[in-house]
Structures are given as structure tokens and as C-alpha cells.
Amino acid sequence: MCQKAHGSPFSTYVQYDKSAFVFEGDTNLMGRYRSSDEATRSFCRRCGAKFAFEHRAFADSIWLAAGLLVGDLGIAPSYHIFFASRAAWYPIDDDLPKYDAYPPVPA
């Protein structure tokens, strides 16, 4: 689903604690839709840029599309998800953990 939504072999998101995150600016430009029974995605109504992803199983988190963030984030990717449905023509051969679906939900 992320490949289709972003038109790329993968998408990169940064996970934040939802209670510590606030959208600033004109939030009237932000659209939201349910992409599945479990997930909601948000986007810019003006340009179509993807903003965020929220999942029912991770109710305390919000994921921001990393391509929207400016500057050095001071972090690096920690794992790959949906590895089983990755784009076959894009090799991923690093040593990060690879999950065929979502990673295990923390207790």
C-alpha cells in the first residue's frame, strides 16, 4: 500500500509519541482518510504530499513521512517492514531486522 501511495519502492517514516506531537500551521489543508480498518493516513489537500500514518494497534504513536522533515534527524532506520511485499527490483541487503508485516507490538 505504501509503494502505491508514494509511487516509490518504499516509504520512510519516523515514529513519534502522539501526545508530544502537534501539527502547526493551517490544519485545514490537511486531509485524512482510512486506508484500511486499522490505519488512517493524512495528506496535504493542496499538493497531495503524504504527512502521517496512524495505526490502531499503535494508538500512542504517529509516523511522519521522513521526506517532509528538514535537516539531520539524528537517527537512522532501525528495521524494514512488509519485506515480503518489497519491490523485487530494489535490493535491500543491509543488516537491519526485516519483518514480513508490522513489527511485534510492544507490550
Side-chain angles (χ1 to χ4, degrees):
M1 190 179 299
C2 288
Q3 292 173 13
K4 303 288 188 257
H6 288 266
S8 64
F10 58 88
S11 58
T12 304
Y13 286 88
V14 179
Q15 182 179 3
Y16 287 93
D17 180 350
K18 194 184 290 186
S19 67
F21 183 81
V22 176
F23 279 107
E24 294 182 351
D26 187 357
T27 57
N28 291 322
L29 293 176
M30 184 171 60
R32 293 171 54 89
Y33 68 98
R34 300 231 30 163
S35 57
S36 69
D37 290 340
E38 297 86 24
T40 301
R41 296 174 186 269
S42 58
F43 63 97
C44 176
R45 292 180 189 274
R46 181 177 295 155
C47 70
K50 312 306 186 251
F51 282 148
F53 171 82
E54 298 171 70
H55 195 282
R56 185 175 12 166
F58 303 89
D60 295 333
S61 294
I62 185 169
W63 284 265
L64 299 180
L68 297 174
L69 304 173
V70 178
D72 182 2
L73 302 180
I75 58 174
S78 54
Y79 55 83
H80 300 283
I81 61 174
F82 299 104
F83 193 74
S85 61
R86 70 191 178 282
W89 49 267
Y90 188 89
I92 299 175
D93 56 5
D94 57 37
D95 293 328
L96 294 176
K98 296 165 180 69
Y99 300 99
D100 287 343
Y102 287 104
V105 177

